[in-house]
Every structure is written in structure tokens, then in C-alpha cells.
Amino acid sequence: MKIALLALLGLALGILGGAALGIGAGLVWIEVFKTTSFEGYSGMLVFFTFMPLGAAIGGIGCALLFGIIAIRDAEIAIEREPARRRDR
């Protein structure tokens, strides 16, 4: 259950981050390649091409990353056990 919840959390965070990075990449594309803005073409290019691609790539990538971290929980110490006292 922990793996599934972490994967869903990664999916949600990846979609948001990937969409933001996709918008940024689309805006850079428009500036570098001087895309025309006739009838909103540049805006449609960014929001119908770059944003969905960024969201898909980010969502899948982050979900896989969070899932792998959850699976390897035994190898990665997320919670530390309390230190034991030494008897003198």
C-alpha cells in the first residue's frame, strides 16, 4: 500500500512539475525559433503540445522514481531507530 501511495504522490507532483517545465520549454522554443503568434498559434503550440508532453513525461518519471524509492525502503533508511543507551 505504501508503494502505491508513494507512486500516486510522485505522479501528482510529476504532472505539476512536468507541466510547468513544459510551459517553460515551450516559451523558450517560441523565442528561439521565432514562432508566429498569428491567431494565437504560439500559445496553442505551448499549451497543447509542450505542456501535455511535459506533464506526461514528468508524471511517469516521478511516479517511477517514487515507486523505486518505496521498493528500496529496506536499503534506504528513511526512519532511524532510537539510539540505545550504553550501560556502564
Side-chain angles (χ1 to χ4, degrees), residues 8 14 16-17 20 24 28-29 31 34 48 54 61 67 70 74 83 85 87-88:
L8 284 175
L16 290 174
V28 168
W29 178 278
E31 290 298 319
K34 306 293 184 208
F48 292 132
R85 292 185 181 181
D87 292 331
R88 294 183 185 196

Side-chain angles (χ1 to χ4, degrees), residues 8-83:
L8 284 175
L9 175 67
L11 180 68
L13 292 176
I15 287 174
L16 290 174
L21 289 175
I23 290 171
L27 292 174
V28 168
W29 178 278
I30 287 171
E31 290 298 319
V32 169
F33 294 105
K34 306 293 184 208
T35 305
T36 182
S37 292
F38 181 70
E39 292 186 354
Y41 177 72
S42 59
M44 287 189 289
L45 177 68
V46 170
F47 288 101
F48 292 132
T49 303
F50 284 96
M51 188 177 70
L53 282 175
I57 292 169
I60 292 169
C62 203
L64 287 174
L65 178 68
F66 275 43
I68 289 171
I69 289 173
I71 289 171
R72 293 185 176 182
D73 187 27
E75 297 174 14
I76 301 171
I78 295 176
E79 297 177 6
R80 292 184 177 214
E81 295 181 15

